[in-house]
Amino acid sequence: MNLKNICILFDVDDTLYDQFSIFEKSYNKVFGDKYKLDLNLLYNKSRYYSEHMFKLVETNEKTIEDLYVYRMKKPFEDFGYHISDDDAILFQKVYAENQNYIAISENMKQVIEFCSSNNIKMGIITNGLFINQWQKIEKLGILNWIGINDIFISESVGLSKPDLNLFKYVEEEMNLSKEYTYYIGDSLNNDVLGVDKIGWNMIWLNKRNLDIDNLDVNPKYIVNSDAEILNIVKEIIAS
């Protein structure tokens, strides 16, 4: 394979860093042991509701504060608990403070450094508000490996995952070949379904062991830990 044709694209949240650990730390500070909940399930539900509400924020049908409240209150309600709007906003405040200390996972750092040392083209596609996502990108040190022109944040593009048009836009901007383009991400709704539409190769980081049996998608690779990704990328480059 001609290495010049290969491109590895990355999601940010819960792909390049562990978002759950930030969620868990923030939850414990705000709620302590007040509720008897499975934090993994609460987190999964929060991500689910966040992804769906974000579409309404993008179209100005809801505010970002609406999103912050909804993505915490609704998961609690699913477990039979009620928290106030103030509790949800307090959680978001603590969560945002904890995000100041995020760091790229060691495994993903190795993947990126390996790609960089082999002159593999790389890029970022992430949903979110520009200022929020850009701050994360800077804290993670992504600009050490990936150029500004190869970083695509939904708010600045005006399109969000899993919209096919966002993936088409990136494909055109980076002059990508579908056959040799690989996307690494964790979200079933945003990443797996989006990549399936465009026809790239999906490396699904399925940390939460979600089931896709009822969905008509077929990721090329499914892993449960980012520790598995480096060997996959090495195989891709060696093939």
Side-chain angles (χ1 to χ4, degrees):
M1 181 183 297
N2 188 339
L3 298 187
K4 292 182 179 180
N5 294 329
I6 300 175
C7 181
I8 308 289
L9 297 159
F10 302 86
D11 174 43
V12 174
D13 297 308
D14 227 15
T15 297
L16 294 181
Y17 73 97
D18 182 16
Q19 194 172 32
F20 174 73
S21 65
I22 305 298
F23 182 92
E24 182 179 35
K25 183 178 180 180
S26 304
Y27 176 93
N28 289 335
K29 183 172 182 178
V30 175
F31 300 109
D33 59 359
K34 184 177 180 180
Y35 303 100
K36 303 301 180 185
L37 292 169
D38 183 324
L39 284 191
N40 277 291
L41 292 178
L42 187 74
Y43 171 73
N44 285 345
K45 285 180 173 290
S46 178
R47 287 292 306 274
Y48 172 82
Y49 288 123
S50 182
E51 289 175 357
H52 284 74
M53 174 67 84
F54 182 70
K55 295 176 176 62
L56 299 179
V57 174
E58 287 187 309
T59 57
N60 296 316
E61 297 172 68
K62 296 290 183 179
T63 67
I64 190 64
E65 186 169 292
D66 290 334
L67 168 64
Y68 294 153
V69 170
Y70 180 78
R71 72 182 183 187
M72 284 306 292
K73 290 189 70 172
K74 193 68 172 70
F76 271 92
E77 289 175 5
D78 287 350
F79 288 104
Y81 295 109
H82 172 78
I83 65 170
S84 67
D85 289 9
D86 288 344
D87 283 341
I89 292 298
L90 176 58
F91 174 86
Q92 175 59 35
K93 179 181 178 181
V94 174
Y95 182 80
E97 290 171 353
N98 285 330
Q99 279 196 317
N100 288 321
Y101 306 101
I102 62 174
I104 190 169
S105 80
E106 187 57 36
N107 289 321
M108 293 307 295
K109 183 178 180 181
Q110 289 178 14
V111 171
I112 291 177
E113 288 183 335
F114 177 79
C115 290
S116 180
S117 65
N118 284 275
N119 296 314
I120 301 300
K121 183 187 296 185
M122 291 183 287
I124 297 286
I125 308 176
T126 178
N127 278 0
L129 300 179
F130 178 81
I131 186 64
N132 292 349
Q133 297 309 100
W134 191 257
Q135 287 174 348
K136 293 173 191 175
I137 286 165
E138 290 186 320
K139 288 182 174 69
L140 295 171
I142 300 305
L143 296 175
N144 292 325
W145 303 286
I146 299 175
I148 292 174
N149 292 335
D150 296 325
I151 296 174
F152 302 90
I153 299 173
S154 65
E155 185 184 39
S156 59
V157 177
L159 300 163
S160 63
K161 299 181 294 183
D163 190 331
L164 173 62
N165 291 313
L166 171 60
F167 293 93
K168 282 184 175 180
Y169 176 80
V170 174
E171 187 173 273
E172 292 171 2
E173 287 293 305
M174 296 186 69
N175 192 27
L176 305 178
S177 169
K178 294 184 191 298
E179 182 182 356
Y180 301 117
T181 301
Y182 296 79
Y183 187 84
I184 302 172
D186 73 290
S187 172
L188 176 57
N189 292 316
N190 288 337
D191 300 327
V192 177
L193 295 181
V195 167
D196 186 71
K197 291 176 184 177
I198 191 68
W200 297 346
N201 301 288
M202 183 71 211
I203 303 175
W204 182 25
L205 179 54
N206 185 16
K207 291 182 177 181
R208 313 302 165 204
N209 296 310
L210 301 179
D211 188 4
I212 61 170
D213 287 346
N214 295 323
L215 297 175
D216 186 24
V217 292
N218 186 31
K220 190 173 183 66
Y221 302 96
I222 302 177
V223 298
N224 300 119
S225 165
D226 61 10
E228 304 172 63
I229 294 176
L230 180 58
N231 283 336
I232 290 174
V233 172
K234 287 180 177 179
E235 290 176 7
I236 291 168
I237 291 174
S239 63

